Amino acid sequence: MDSRKSIEESREDFPSLKRQRKGKPPIYLDNACTTLVPRQVFESIQEYYTEYPSCSGTRSRHWFAQEVSDHIEGNPGKGIKGSRQIIAEFINAGSKKEIIFTLNTTHALNMVALGFPFQPGDVVLLTDTEHNSNLLPWLKLQKAGRIKVDFTVTNDRFDLDAFEWKLKTGRVRLVSMAYTSNVTGYTIPAREITKIAHQYGALVLLDGAQAVPHQTIDVQNLDADFLAFSLHKMCGPRGVGVLYGKKELLGQMPHEEGEAEHVIVPVIQGGGTVADSTYYSYTLMLPPDRFEAGIQNYPAQIASGAAVQYIQQIGMDRIRDHEASLNHFLSEELMNRYGDTGWFSIVGPQDAAQRGGILTFEVKRPNAMGIAADLSEKNNVMIRDGVFCVHAYFNEKFGPEWTRPISHSEHRMVYRVSSYFYNTMEECRVFLEALDEIFKERGYI
Ligand SMILES: Cc1ncc(COP(=O)(O)O)c(C=O)c1O
């Protein structure tokens, strides 16, 4: 018998799903932005504030501090695994010392961008669908003359030959790519990418913000050098993310200058990162401490473990399959209803199986703005509109003027529906009917 929690049972854990407005429950389909939070996670946060609201045992030696450390670093004697170890096992890292707590994915990506020992002329290779968080740090470095940024086009399929050509012909030092795109939902063939990149001496940083919450991740099998992700996209607390880095890339030397090629150095320094300091110099702690400067978000770090254990209880394969079946249903219904109209299209691969839980669609009609607000106002259905922090992709695809009306009567708007394991088929049906009603009201159909 399957002892895992069922989808219906899991919904009981989310108090926000119990809310009602205008006599109707919320239908939350904005999970690619941030997910809802089960009570197990905020009970963990509450436990910190109620029971041991102090710094950790790396600073103070008292009872409360020890309990904070127990919940982050583990205490086998008390049968506590600790959130760092829970996360390490979740992504199959070789050691919990490879798990660095950050503020979020953006912070983790910037840590690599700013800490990596680039040489002038080095190229960083991205895809054409990067979130601003994996574009701007590199553009900034390019502006400062430290690197060159180049792109490989993904369209609806990652072209491994074109990718290899870039590595063969350019001085690519680092490949930094969204594992799953937050706009198209497309998941790149990461294993093949790391294999090819390594053949040409380049390292690979995966932006796992939209991948880690939705599928089984095995960093050793992927052979990824770095992986960044956020807990708030996987039922966890806000304000905490992770940078995974292979042990040999996080440094072992007491001073930045002594580190080997490819090792990232900490860019933010301060309390907790050094073993010693004088008026003239300092010696660094070993990783991960050297990267976690200042008093940390301990409750969020502790609750990260609760979040990971929660989604493990649902099962990563089941999460992936459930999202796929919802997306298949939604995509088919939408295309059957509006696919021939000429003003409705799905962004990214047309095959729903290649888009995980993400369904982004374009509406090219008069007054196409405000559909997300209407869905929320009238039916409590929450989806996302706008550019999803992927301005560059849309500017390239539609032209820089695309956010303005394309004629005096037509407007182009993009909407994103993103599901998670607690969403149901019934919710998808409500969304579809509500959208249909809005299209009718606007005279589109
Ligand atoms: C692909 C991708 N990368 C990076 C981010 C940034 O994540 P965060 O805001 O948690 O730093 C997001 C957020 O939506 C994302 O979808």
Side-chain angles (χ1 to χ4, degrees):
M1 211 185 82
D2 194 346
S3 61
R4 295 177 303 182
K5 209 174 253 231
S6 74
I7 301 292
E8 278 311 317
E9 275 172 341
S10 77
R11 286 177 65 87
E12 294 298 313
D13 294 326
F14 292 81
S16 54
L17 289 174
K18 299 266 177 295
R19 292 190 64 193
Q20 294 259 325
R21 198 180 62 148
K22 300 177 188 165
K24 291 181 204 161
I27 295 184
Y28 188 76
L29 290 165
D30 192 16
N31 295 286
C33 176
T34 196
T35 59
L36 304 179
V37 184
R39 62 180 169 73
Q40 287 82 346
V41 169
F42 46 80
E43 279 170 8
S44 165
I45 293 171
Q46 191 175 16
E47 183 180 298
Y48 166 87
Y49 284 115
T50 323
E51 307 275 331
Y52 35 84
S54 79
C55 68
S56 76
T58 52
R59 289 162 191 270
S60 302
R61 304 278 164 246
H62 53 70
W63 170 41
F64 282 179
Q66 189 50 51
E67 288 195 352
V68 173
S69 282
D70 288 350
H71 286 89
I72 297 174
E73 309 304 343
N75 185 333
K78 290 187 187 166
I80 304 173
K81 195 175 256 184
S83 51
R84 206 185 295 276
Q85 180 65 26
I86 291 169
I87 292 169
E89 288 175 16
F90 178 61
I91 60 167
N92 197 30
S95 155
K96 69 172 183 168
K97 296 195 183 312
E98 296 176 320
I99 304 298
I100 299 164
F101 281 114
T102 63
L103 296 175
N104 45 38
T105 305
T106 307
H107 180 202
L109 294 167
N110 273 277
M111 278 169 68
V112 179
L114 298 172
F116 195 85
F118 289 111
Q119 303 290 330
D122 282 347
V123 173
V124 175
L125 186 58
L126 317 176
T127 72
D128 56 347
T129 48
E130 297 305 327
H131 189 281
N132 283 332
S133 296
N134 191 34
L135 172 65
L136 273 59
W138 309 114
L139 292 182
K140 198 169 157 67
L141 285 190
Q142 176 169 258
K143 205 164 149 189
R146 291 197 50 211
I147 58 162
K148 280 195 178 128
V149 177
D150 196 5
F151 300 90
T152 182
V153 176
T154 49
N155 274 330
D156 295 348
R157 189 184 66 85
F158 192 90
D159 186 339
L160 286 167
D161 293 333
F163 171 67
E164 184 162 4
W165 182 251
K166 294 264 181 196
L167 285 143
K168 209 180 253 177
T169 55
R171 241 186 77 183
V172 179
R173 184 93 186 277
L174 184 75
V175 170
S176 183
M177 295 183 172
Y179 194 172
T180 298
S181 159
N182 69 312
V183 59
T184 64
Y186 179 69
T187 296
I188 57 171
R191 178 69 195 93
E192 288 81 354
I193 287 169
T194 54
K195 201 168 164 203
I196 295 171
H198 291 162
Q199 276 166 15
Y200 291 90
L203 298 190
V204 178
L205 161 60
L206 292 175
D207 168 358
Q210 299 293 346
V212 177
H214 304 280
Q215 63 175 90
T216 303
I217 302 288
D218 180 337
V219 283
Q220 293 189 68
N221 179 262
L222 286 171
D223 204 15
D225 299 294
F226 301 102
L227 172 75
F229 57 99
S230 295
L231 270 299
H232 72 87
K233 292 188 195 290
M234 43 198 279
C235 293
R238 282 55 178 144
V240 68
V242 167
L243 174 65
Y244 156 82
K246 279 182 184 163
K247 190 165 165 268
E248 61 271 25
L249 302 175
L250 299 182
Q252 295 299 316
M253 307 304 286
H255 305 288
E256 288 96 332
E257 301 75 34
E259 293 294 3
E261 200 193 14
H262 292 327
V263 164
I264 58 164
V265 296
V267 283
I268 300 177
Q269 294 273 0
T273 63
V274 290
D276 196 12
S277 67
T278 68
Y279 289 133
Y280 314 102
S281 67
Y282 55 86
T283 47
L284 291 168
M285 296 281 279
L286 288 171
D289 303 72
R290 62 173 60 185
F291 295 102
E292 295 177 356
I295 288 280
Q296 298 289 294
N297 189 349
Y298 302 116
Q301 292 182 356
I302 292 169
S304 309
V308 167
Q309 285 179 323
Y310 188 84
I311 60 172
Q312 281 179 318
Q313 214 186 347
I314 306 292
M316 297 314 290
D317 291 349
R318 206 151 53 132
I319 290 177
R320 191 201 52 215
D321 293 348
H322 182 71
E323 289 173 11
S325 66
L326 297 183
N327 205 349
H328 176 77
F329 170 67
L330 282 172
S331 303
E332 201 170 74
E333 282 291 321
L334 287 170
M335 288 314 280
N336 283 344
R337 292 173 191 213
Y338 319 115
D340 293 334
T341 59
W343 51 262
F344 181 94
S345 59
I346 288 178
V347 177
Q350 295 307 290
D351 178 9
Q354 290 193 49
R355 282 188 272 104
I358 290 182
L359 168 55
T360 300
F361 59 89
E362 186 196 344
V363 177
K364 221 164 102 185
R365 290 293 281 166
N367 188 26
M369 299 178 79
I371 291 173
D374 272 9
L375 282 168
S376 170
E377 194 44 42
K378 295 179 182 173
N379 303 88
N380 291 352
V381 176
M382 291 171 259
I383 68 166
R384 178 85 175 262
D385 60 1
V387 239
F388 325 119
C389 300
V390 193
H391 299 69
Y393 169 73
F394 284 115
N395 284 332
E396 186 70 19
K397 186 177 163 74
F398 296 148
E401 300 286 294
W402 80 278
T403 47
R404 309 223 181 100
I406 46 181
S407 73
H408 62 278
S409 62
E410 256 194 343
H411 209 121
R412 181 170 237 163
M413 274 301 290
V414 183
Y415 295 92
R416 181 181 70 192
V417 180
S418 54
S419 59
Y420 210 22
F421 59 84
Y422 40 68
N423 291 120
T424 65
M425 233 16 137
E426 184 48 31
E427 290 183 326
C428 293
R429 282 193 200 98
V430 174
F431 157 72
L432 288 168
E433 291 322 306
L435 186 68
D436 208 62
E437 224 168 85
I438 290 170
F439 283 171
K440 279 187 189 129
E441 278 168 16
R442 294 178 181 220
Y444 300 170
I445 49 175

